[in-house]
Amino acid sequence: MKRLIDKGLMFGNLIRVESPALIERYNRALQKLTGKTTGLDAFHIDISGYSPEVGDELGNSRYLNPNGVNRQFILLSPEQKTAPLLEATFSTERAILREFIEANEAQLFSLTARDAVLGEVEDTVYSLETPAQLIGLRYFNVAADTTGNHVAEAEKLAGLITRFRTDPAGWYDDALIGEMITLADKTGDVTRHPVKFGKTQFDAPDFWTSHFGGVYLFRTPRHKAVIGMGELLQGLPHDMISGTDRNAIARFLDVNGLVEPIVKARGTDAGAILRQKMDFILVSAAAELGLPIGAGDRRALRGVAGQLGSVLPREFEALAALLRWVEAGGAWPEIDSNHPAYFYTLRARPGPLRDLVNRLLAELSPLDVRQLFICHKELFYRLYAGWPEVKKAWVAEFLETEYQIDKAGARKRLFGSEPGMEEATETAKAPVPVQAGPWGSPRKSPPPPLPSRDPIDLVGPWGAVLRGRT
């Protein structure tokens, strides 16, 4: 993994903490949450305040997320909102933390000027022991305060002030007045500068989790489903689809209008995308067979394709046929959902589920290493550890030179622009059109609906330096 770290492809864009004042605040919060402290004089943190160096020091990479649910966090500055989330167990965690920080940025800026803010992303489940408990994960509440309890004490002071103003005997209550003065010394003037968070509740009905071998829970589409990539899940009120049942997954995505063929997507250079996917497949095949890839450019990879000959991967041959259709008017290829290339030919439609669907497609087409890295980093890092060395080197070099230099542009070219929420909602609810497959002969009518049930810039590879405020 050192190669990825050196190139900024792992632990990238983290916030560096090196100020003694900030380290002292971090330790106060860490002590309160875990009972432990760090002796490091510099480290890096993600959006939640998790530090890989501190995790290594403590021998526990989950010191802020011990059960994989109810993630705890430490905020030293609102600047953390731009950092990634490491050791993610739910796809919604970073979005919730970022939205919380952005919605309460002014309050957090004021609070973190003198103390660390710590808290927890709470839900009704405290440990996941059975798959059925996943259904209880939908609404999340962010509970946060400083290590000195400024928010709680400010709320208490606000209540005392209300009592003082409304109780006729308040002017004569020396104990009440004394308590107000004591609290005001800690919180400041809460009447002019309220210390209270605004938005703290978040709805996350659709998500991926790493629990139970990897699960995708879709509750907002018309036809709900749970897709289990590992073990077979029991006790769920929605349709259970195994990650190995490609036909069922394809039908679920199709009837809900969640995907579109890359070659038919608006504003997409389908030929360039297909060629790049073919390169990824060739590199993987050559690495597995121990074949040299030379310089690793497209000319060298064409030579690899010639060496492979009759053992070219089926995915490569299918995408090559599709490329001929796109660029040379070749025959329309028959690529059904049983074909290993099927999910390589799709991308998510614009809408609120776009990122979750692209994560699922990345897991179903793991040879597309660029999409895997962008959409499902947890799986990318796990698979990377087992790749042949030649593939590791080629992929790291490609991502550094072809993706890192223009991340936003690459995402737009691959997945399209981010739609507005109103447009996204309409897209998600739009009726499913009669279409061709998306591959093969046109259908006369949409497939039969799935059964629907109710409730079912950078410092090294790390990032910007976070400087202390006194």
Side-chain angles (χ1 to χ4, degrees):
M1 297 298 183
K2 185 178 184 301
R3 180 187 286 114
L4 296 180
I5 296 173
D6 291 342
K7 293 180 179 293
L9 299 169
M10 189 176 188
F11 303 149
N13 294 326
L14 298 182
I15 303 296
R16 182 174 174 84
V17 181
E18 59 185 0
S19 160
L22 288 177
I23 294 173
E24 193 271 333
R25 293 174 195 172
Y26 187 89
N27 269 330
R28 288 205 306 268
L30 191 60
Q31 173 71 35
K32 200 163 185 177
L33 289 175
T34 69
K36 300 179 180 180
T37 58
T38 175
L40 301 175
D41 56 8
F43 49 89
H44 300 79
I45 57 175
D46 69 2
I47 188 174
S48 73
Y50 166 76
S51 168
E53 297 106 319
V54 174
D56 185 61
E57 179 193 20
L58 300 178
N60 180 9
S61 63
R62 291 228 176 145
Y63 67 91
L64 289 183
N65 193 23
N67 297 317
V69 291
N70 297 295
R71 176 180 285 271
Q72 298 172 319
F73 59 86
I74 299 173
L75 299 179
L76 299 180
S77 167
E79 293 174 26
Q80 287 174 233
K81 68 180 182 180
T82 62
L85 178 67
L86 307 180
E87 301 290 333
T89 53
F90 286 87
S91 59
T92 54
E93 290 172 328
R94 184 179 185 275
I96 290 174
L97 284 170
R98 175 151 190 165
E99 190 173 353
F100 169 74
I101 294 173
E102 290 180 337
N104 300 282
E105 195 153 1
Q107 295 92 329
L108 289 171
F109 183 86
S110 176
L111 290 170
T112 56
R114 55 182 175 178
D115 203 352
V117 172
L118 70 160
E120 187 173 340
V121 181
E122 298 177 338
D123 52 57
T124 58
V125 177
Y126 296 95
S127 64
L128 281 174
E129 298 176 358
T130 65
Q133 291 177 291
L134 290 171
I135 302 303
L137 300 174
R138 176 161 187 158
Y139 301 100
F140 297 84
N141 182 67
V142 177
D145 205 338
T146 64
T147 60
N149 299 318
H150 289 90
V151 177
E153 291 183 347
E155 186 176 352
K156 182 179 179 180
L157 177 57
L160 294 177
I161 292 173
T162 300
R163 175 181 158 192
F164 176 80
R165 287 173 172 174
T166 57
D167 186 351
W171 284 97
Y172 310 103
D173 191 336
D174 292 338
L176 173 61
I177 295 173
E179 188 175 5
M180 288 168 56
I181 293 172
T182 300
L183 287 174
D185 285 341
K186 296 181 180 180
T187 65
D189 188 350
V190 296
T191 59
R192 292 187 178 182
H193 306 287
V195 184
K196 185 178 181 180
F197 294 124
K199 184 174 183 179
T200 59
Q201 294 184 331
F202 304 89
D203 183 15
D206 310 284
F207 58 81
W208 162 88
T209 177
S210 63
H211 292 276
F212 309 110
V215 179
Y216 295 81
L217 180 59
F218 291 92
R219 281 187 285 211
T220 56
R222 290 170 300 162
H223 303 290
K224 303 170 176 58
V226 179
I227 301 175
M229 307 305 291
E231 58 195 84
L232 185 63
L233 310 183
Q234 302 292 338
L236 296 169
H238 305 310
D239 293 298
M240 175 61 210
I241 301 176
S242 168
T244 60
D245 192 343
R246 298 172 61 86
N247 289 332
I249 295 174
R251 189 153 64 100
F252 163 75
L253 295 172
D254 190 33
V255 299
N256 284 299
L258 296 176
V259 293
E260 60 185 354
I262 292 171
V263 297
K264 297 183 179 180
R266 182 185 302 176
T268 297
D269 186 347
I273 294 175
L274 291 173
R275 288 182 184 279
Q276 198 65 74
K277 289 175 183 279
M278 292 164 63
D279 289 348
F280 300 148
I281 294 169
L282 281 177
V283 169
S284 180
E288 292 296 333
L289 294 174
L291 298 177
I293 61 172
D297 56 11
R298 189 153 290 158
R299 175 178 296 181
L301 292 178
R302 282 201 298 268
V304 171
Q307 294 180 62
L308 290 172
S310 61
V311 295
L312 277 168
R314 293 181 64 199
E315 295 93 334
F316 180 90
E317 293 182 328
L319 295 184
L322 188 56
L323 181 63
R324 288 194 293 272
W325 178 83
V326 170
E327 296 185 343
W332 180 256
E334 296 282 347
I335 307 174
D336 61 27
S337 56
N338 281 319
H339 197 289
Y342 179 78
F343 292 109
Y344 290 85
T345 67
L346 303 176
R347 77 174 191 182
R349 287 185 182 275
L353 294 178
R354 187 190 73 166
D355 291 345
L356 185 60
V357 172
N358 277 332
R359 178 186 284 264
L360 174 61
L361 291 175
E363 189 159 0
L364 294 167
S365 52
L367 297 180
D368 186 347
V369 292
R370 177 173 53 187
Q371 179 160 327
L372 191 65
F373 179 78
I374 296 172
C375 301
H376 202 331
K377 282 188 172 59
E378 297 80 12
L379 182 58
F380 174 88
Y381 294 137
R382 178 156 55 86
L383 295 179
Y384 177 93
W387 289 344
E389 186 62 27
V390 64
K391 182 176 178 179
K392 289 181 180 180
W394 189 92
V395 170
E397 182 67 20
F398 172 85
L399 292 174
E400 181 187 31
T401 58
E402 300 292 333
Y403 172 65
Q404 290 280 78
I405 59 174
D406 185 16
K407 296 179 182 180
R411 289 172 181 266
K412 184 176 181 180
R413 290 190 296 273
L414 292 172
F415 311 124
S417 300
E418 186 68 40
M421 188 54 65
E422 182 178 351
E423 176 188 348
T425 302
E426 293 302 316
T427 300
K429 295 181 179 179
V432 181
V434 177
Q435 56 181 328
W439 309 120
S441 58
R443 296 193 300 266
K444 299 297 183 182
S445 61
L450 295 171
S452 178
R453 306 178 198 154
D454 290 331
I456 88 171
D457 157 82
L458 301 180
V459 177
W462 299 91
V465 176
L466 177 59
R467 305 201 179 276
R469 293 191 297 270
T470 57

Coordinates of all heavy atoms in Angstrom, one line a residue, residues 62 65-71 88-93 123-138 140 207-215 217 219 231 233-234 236:
R62 N -10.4 1.0 14.6 CA -11.8 1.3 14.8 C -12.0 2.0 16.1 O -13.0 1.8 16.7 CB -12.7 0.1 14.7 CG -12.8 -0.5 13.3 CD -14.2 -0.8 12.9 NE -14.3 -1.3 11.6 CZ -15.2 -2.2 11.2 NH1 -16.0 -2.7 12.1 NH2 -15.4 -2.5 10.0
N65 N -15.0 3.9 15.9 CA -16.2 3.2 15.3 C -16.2 1.8 15.8 O -16.1 0.8 15.0 CB -16.1 3.3 13.8 CG -17.4 2.9 13.1 OD1 -18.5 2.9 13.7 ND2 -17.3 2.5 11.9
P66 N -16.2 1.5 17.1 CA -15.9 0.2 17.6 C -16.9 -0.9 17.2 O -16.4 -2.0 16.9 CB -16.0 0.4 19.1 CG -16.8 1.6 19.3 CD -16.5 2.5 18.1
N67 N -18.1 -0.6 17.0 CA -19.1 -1.7 16.6 C -19.5 -1.6 15.1 O -20.4 -2.3 14.7 CB -20.3 -1.6 17.5 CG -20.0 -1.9 18.9 OD1 -19.3 -2.8 19.2 ND2 -20.6 -1.1 19.8
G68 N -18.9 -0.6 14.4 CA -19.3 -0.4 13.0 C -20.6 0.3 12.8 O -21.1 0.5 11.7
V69 N -21.2 0.8 13.9 CA -22.4 1.6 13.8 C -22.2 2.7 14.8 O -21.4 2.6 15.7 CB -23.7 0.8 14.1 CG1 -24.0 -0.2 13.0 CG2 -23.5 0.1 15.5
N70 N -23.1 3.8 14.7 CA -23.0 4.9 15.7 C -21.5 5.5 15.7 O -20.9 5.5 16.7 CB -23.4 4.5 17.1 CG -24.9 4.1 17.1 OD1 -25.7 4.9 16.9 ND2 -25.1 2.8 17.4
R71 N -21.0 5.9 14.5 CA -19.7 6.4 14.4 C -19.5 7.6 15.3 O -20.3 8.6 15.2 CB -19.4 6.7 12.9 CG -18.0 7.3 12.8 CD -17.7 7.6 11.3 NE -17.4 6.4 10.6 CZ -16.2 5.9 10.4 NH1 -15.2 6.5 11.0 NH2 -16.0 4.8 9.7
A88 N -14.8 3.3 6.4 CA -16.2 3.5 6.3 C -16.9 2.2 6.4 O -16.5 1.2 5.7 CB -16.6 4.2 5.0
T89 N -18.0 2.1 7.2 CA -18.8 0.8 7.2 C -20.2 1.1 6.6 O -20.9 0.1 6.4 CB -18.9 0.3 8.6 OG1 -19.4 1.4 9.5 CG2 -17.6 -0.2 9.2
F90 N -20.5 2.4 6.3 CA -21.8 2.7 5.7 C -21.5 3.8 4.6 O -20.7 4.7 4.9 CB -22.8 3.2 6.7 CG -23.4 2.2 7.5 CD1 -22.8 1.8 8.7 CD2 -24.6 1.5 7.2 CE1 -23.3 0.8 9.5 CE2 -25.1 0.5 8.0 CZ -24.5 0.2 9.1
S91 N -22.1 3.7 3.5 CA -21.9 4.7 2.4 C -22.5 6.1 2.8 O -22.1 7.1 2.2 CB -22.6 4.2 1.1 OG -24.0 4.0 1.3
T92 N -23.4 6.2 3.8 CA -24.0 7.4 4.2 C -23.2 8.2 5.2 O -23.5 9.4 5.4 CB -25.4 7.1 4.8 OG1 -25.2 6.2 5.8 CG2 -26.3 6.5 3.7
E93 N -22.2 7.6 5.8 CA -21.6 8.3 6.9 C -20.9 9.6 6.6 O -21.1 10.6 7.3 CB -20.5 7.4 7.6 CG -21.1 6.2 8.3 CD -20.1 5.2 8.7 OE1 -19.1 5.0 8.0 OE2 -20.3 4.5 9.7
D123 N -28.1 6.2 15.9 CA -29.3 5.6 15.3 C -29.9 4.7 16.4 O -29.5 4.7 17.5 CB -29.0 4.8 14.0 CG -27.9 3.8 14.2 OD1 -28.0 3.0 15.1 OD2 -26.9 4.0 13.5
T124 N -30.9 3.9 16.0 CA -31.6 3.0 17.0 C -30.9 1.7 17.2 O -31.4 0.9 18.0 CB -33.0 2.8 16.6 OG1 -33.1 2.3 15.3 CG2 -33.8 4.2 16.6
V125 N -29.8 1.4 16.5 CA -29.1 0.2 16.5 C -27.7 0.4 17.1 O -27.0 1.2 16.5 CB -29.1 -0.5 15.1 CG1 -28.3 -1.8 15.2 CG2 -30.5 -0.8 14.6
Y126 N -27.3 -0.3 18.1 CA -26.0 -0.1 18.7 C -25.0 -1.2 18.3 O -23.8 -1.1 18.6 CB -26.2 0.0 20.2 CG -27.0 1.2 20.6 CD1 -28.4 1.1 20.8 CD2 -26.4 2.4 20.7 CE1 -29.1 2.2 21.1 CE2 -27.2 3.6 21.0 CZ -28.5 3.5 21.2 OH -29.3 4.6 21.5
S127 N -25.5 -2.3 17.8 CA -24.6 -3.4 17.3 C -25.4 -4.2 16.3 O -26.6 -4.4 16.5 CB -24.1 -4.3 18.4 OG -25.1 -5.0 19.0
L128 N -24.8 -4.5 15.2 CA -25.5 -5.3 14.2 C -25.2 -6.8 14.3 O -24.1 -7.2 14.0 CB -25.1 -4.8 12.8 CG -25.7 -3.6 12.3 CD1 -25.1 -3.1 10.9 CD2 -27.2 -3.7 12.1
E129 N -26.2 -7.5 14.8 CA -26.0 -9.0 15.0 C -26.8 -9.8 14.0 O -26.4 -10.9 13.7 CB -26.3 -9.3 16.5 CG -25.5 -8.6 17.5 CD -25.9 -8.9 18.9 OE1 -26.9 -9.6 19.1 OE2 -25.2 -8.4 19.8
T130 N -27.9 -9.2 13.5 CA -28.7 -9.9 12.5 C -29.0 -9.0 11.4 O -29.1 -7.8 11.6 CB -30.0 -10.4 13.2 OG1 -30.8 -9.3 13.5 CG2 -29.8 -11.3 14.4
P131 N -29.2 -9.6 10.2 CA -29.5 -8.7 9.0 C -30.8 -7.9 9.2 O -30.9 -6.8 8.6 CB -29.6 -9.7 7.9 CG -28.7 -10.9 8.3 CD -28.9 -11.0 9.8
A132 N -31.7 -8.5 9.9 CA -33.0 -7.8 10.1 C -32.8 -6.4 10.7 O -33.7 -5.5 10.5 CB -34.0 -8.6 10.9
Q133 N -31.8 -6.2 11.5 CA -31.6 -5.0 12.2 C -31.2 -3.8 11.2 O -31.4 -2.7 11.5 CB -30.4 -5.1 13.2 CG -30.8 -5.9 14.4 CD -29.6 -6.1 15.3 OE1 -28.6 -6.8 15.0 NE2 -29.7 -5.5 16.5
L134 N -30.8 -4.2 10.0 CA -30.5 -3.2 9.0 C -31.7 -2.3 8.7 O -31.6 -1.1 8.3 CB -30.0 -3.8 7.7 CG -28.6 -4.5 7.7 CD1 -28.4 -5.2 6.5 CD2 -27.5 -3.4 8.0
I135 N -32.9 -2.9 8.7 CA -34.2 -2.2 8.4 C -34.4 -1.0 9.4 O -35.0 0.0 9.1 CB -35.4 -3.2 8.4 CG1 -35.1 -4.3 7.4 CG2 -36.6 -2.4 8.1 CD1 -34.9 -3.8 6.0
G136 N -33.9 -1.2 10.6 CA -34.0 -0.1 11.6 C -33.1 1.1 11.4 O -33.3 2.1 12.0
L137 N -32.2 1.0 10.4 CA -31.3 2.0 10.1 C -31.8 2.9 9.0 O -31.8 2.6 7.8 CB -29.9 1.5 9.7 CG -29.2 0.6 10.8 CD1 -27.9 0.0 10.2 CD2 -28.8 1.5 12.0
R138 N -32.4 4.0 9.4 CA -32.9 4.9 8.4 C -32.8 6.4 8.8 O -32.3 7.2 8.0 CB -34.4 4.7 8.1 CG -35.1 5.6 7.2 CD -36.3 5.2 6.6 NE -36.8 6.1 5.5 CZ -37.6 5.8 4.6 NH1 -38.1 4.5 4.5 NH2 -38.0 6.7 3.7
F140 N -31.0 9.2 11.2 CA -29.8 9.4 12.0 C -29.8 10.7 12.7 O -30.2 11.7 12.1 CB -28.5 9.2 11.1 CG -28.4 7.9 10.5 CD1 -29.0 7.5 9.3 CD2 -27.6 6.9 11.1 CE1 -28.9 6.3 8.7 CE2 -27.5 5.6 10.5 CZ -28.1 5.3 9.3
F207 N -28.7 2.7 1.3 CA -27.2 2.7 1.7 C -26.6 1.4 1.4 O -27.2 0.4 1.1 CB -27.0 3.1 3.1 CG -27.7 2.2 4.1 CD1 -27.2 0.9 4.5 CD2 -29.0 2.5 4.7 CE1 -27.8 0.1 5.4 CE2 -29.6 1.7 5.6 CZ -29.0 0.4 5.9
W208 N -25.2 1.4 1.4 CA -24.4 0.2 1.4 C -23.8 0.1 2.7 O -23.4 1.1 3.4 CB -23.3 0.4 0.3 CG -22.2 -0.6 0.5 CD1 -22.1 -1.9 0.0 CD2 -20.9 -0.4 1.2 NE1 -20.9 -2.5 0.4 CE2 -20.2 -1.6 1.2 CE3 -20.5 0.7 2.0 CZ2 -18.9 -1.7 1.8 CZ3 -19.2 0.6 2.6 CH2 -18.5 -0.6 2.5
T209 N -23.6 -1.1 3.2 CA -22.8 -1.4 4.4 C -21.9 -2.5 4.2 O -22.2 -3.4 3.4 CB -23.8 -1.6 5.6 OG1 -23.0 -2.0 6.8 CG2 -24.7 -2.8 5.3
S210 N -20.8 -2.5 4.9 CA -19.8 -3.5 4.8 C -20.2 -4.7 5.7 O -19.6 -5.8 5.5 CB -18.4 -3.0 5.3 OG -18.4 -2.6 6.6
H211 N -21.2 -4.6 6.5 CA -21.6 -5.7 7.4 C -22.2 -6.8 6.6 O -22.7 -6.6 5.5 CB -22.6 -5.2 8.4 CG -22.1 -4.2 9.4 ND1 -21.5 -4.6 10.5 CD2 -22.1 -2.9 9.4 CE1 -21.1 -3.6 11.2 NE2 -21.4 -2.5 10.6
F212 N -22.1 -8.0 7.1 CA -22.7 -9.3 6.5 C -22.2 -9.5 5.1 O -22.9 -9.9 4.2 CB -24.2 -9.2 6.5 CG -24.8 -8.9 7.8 CD1 -25.4 -7.6 8.1 CD2 -24.7 -9.8 8.9 CE1 -25.9 -7.3 9.3 CE2 -25.2 -9.5 10.1 CZ -25.8 -8.2 10.4
G213 N -20.9 -9.2 4.9 CA -20.3 -9.4 3.6 C -20.6 -8.4 2.5 O -20.1 -8.6 1.4
G214 N -21.2 -7.3 2.9 CA -21.6 -6.3 2.0 C -23.0 -6.3 1.6 O -23.5 -7.3 1.0
V215 N -23.8 -5.3 1.9 CA -25.2 -5.2 1.6 C -25.6 -3.9 1.0 O -25.2 -2.8 1.5 CB -26.0 -5.5 2.9 CG1 -27.5 -5.4 2.6 CG2 -25.7 -6.8 3.6
L217 N -29.0 -1.7 0.4 CA -30.4 -1.6 0.8 C -31.1 -0.5 0.0 O -30.7 0.7 0.1 CB -30.5 -1.4 2.3 CG -31.9 -1.2 2.9 CD1 -32.7 -2.5 2.6 CD2 -31.9 -1.0 4.4
R219 N -34.6 1.4 -0.6 CA -36.0 1.5 -0.1 C -36.8 2.6 -0.8 O -38.0 2.6 -0.7 CB -35.9 1.8 1.4 CG -35.7 0.6 2.3 CD -35.8 0.9 3.8 NE -34.7 1.6 4.3 CZ -34.2 1.5 5.5 NH1 -34.8 0.7 6.4 NH2 -33.2 2.3 5.9
E231 N -23.1 -13.2 2.4 CA -23.9 -14.3 2.9 C -25.4 -14.1 2.5 O -25.8 -12.9 2.2 CB -23.8 -14.4 4.4 CG -24.2 -13.2 5.1 CD -23.8 -13.2 6.6 OE1 -22.6 -12.8 6.8 OE2 -24.6 -13.5 7.4
L233 N -29.0 -13.4 3.2 CA -29.6 -12.7 4.4 C -31.1 -13.2 4.6 O -31.8 -13.4 3.6 CB -29.6 -11.2 4.2 CG -28.3 -10.6 3.8 CD1 -28.4 -9.1 3.7 CD2 -27.2 -11.0 4.8
Q234 N -31.4 -13.3 5.9 CA -32.8 -13.8 6.2 C -33.5 -12.8 7.1 O -32.8 -11.9 7.7 CB -32.7 -15.1 7.0 CG -32.0 -16.2 6.3 CD -32.7 -16.7 5.1 OE1 -33.9 -16.6 5.0 NE2 -32.0 -17.4 4.1
L236 N -35.7 -10.3 6.2 CA -35.8 -9.0 5.7 C -37.1 -8.8 5.0 O -37.6 -9.8 4.3 CB -34.7 -8.6 4.8 CG -33.3 -8.6 5.4 CD1 -32.2 -8.5 4.4 CD2 -33.2 -7.4 6.4

